[in-house]
Amino acid sequence: MRVLGIETSCDETGVAVYDSEQGLLGHAVYSQIELHAQYGGVVPELASRDHIRKLIPLIKTVLNESHTQATEINGVAYTAGPGLIGALLVGAAVGKSLAWAWQVPAVGIHHMEGHLLAAMLEQPAPTFPFLALLVSGGHTQLVEVAALGQYTVLGESVDDAAGEAFDKTAKILGLGYPGGPALARLAEQGYADKFNFPRPMTQRPGLDFSFSGLKTCVLTTWQAQTDPTEQTRADIARAFEEAVIDTLAIKCRRALQQTGLKSLVVAGGVGANQRLRQRLLQLTKEIGVAVYYPRPLFCTDNGAMIAYAGALHLAAGHQESLAFSALPRWPLNQLSIT
């Protein structure tokens, strides 16, 4: 089965072609970072318009580079939510229209499910069941993945997700957009022992996360500096990053112990953070658990994860009518498999 995947949930236009026998045949991602940088964040209306401009040319490019004719496509998968409603509707409309024109089935994919399954594009690939740590821009979740479509959210952020905390802390420190990667780069120059920030919600039972207070701690610390230097800025960034990573690692250890699962999958944009990867590799070695990551390119939003998830759903017989809709809010635990 050969599937075209379309991702337009926020500020990246992603397209891919995945073949269930040959694997990933082609993919491309267009980022809107330069478009939104002057505003310090994503402008939804501009994001939607840019998806409209870029999606069809990107589909043509990927089909050409993957040596795929329209007649060889067996199904179309698109991100149905969660995300920005206008951006989602672009992908939904194009995806359903192509499915109608090509007379093939279409399936809407949950954006977070795409991230959950992205590590399966790699070799070696994880197998069900596994524990997943999802750390994207707007979500921090621990999810027990039993099988395709069978997901149990064990813990999640009650306020700011880790990615949001990275971006907001970067703004506090006067870094550019996107803030998360900029903060991680700055933290490389910092000393870990200069500041010590709390590891929120690790002293109480449960698997939920909260990073809003940590962000506030950074703000008060930064404002308390009478003559801050660039090294001070780097030291604060390092202390913040260490606090987030320790918190994530502590909760992962707790979840693995509670579930007894022997595989950990780390996905989402923050999953590309090298210090987080090193810390979780150390943790999993200590407790005898295998850890899996998508390649850094597939940690951020991309069409490959949507094409792959779509191929699994279509192979299982899941498909929809040609009427299209989008779900800007769509909790993972409300994912309905029909």
Side-chain angles (χ1 to χ4, degrees), residues 6 47 49 59 61 176 184 195 202 209 234 270-271 278 280 293 297 309-310 323 326:
I6 297 171
R49 293 179 182 181
I59 290 172
T61 296
F195 297 94
T202 57
F209 301 91
V270 182
Q278 293 167 6
L280 292 179
Y293 304 92
L297 177 63

Side-chain angles (χ1 to χ4, degrees), residues 160-178:
D160 285 350
E164 290 175 314
F166 263 91
D167 288 339
K168 291 178 180 179
T169 298
K171 190 171 184 178
I172 290 170
L173 296 178
L175 304 179
Y177 172 85

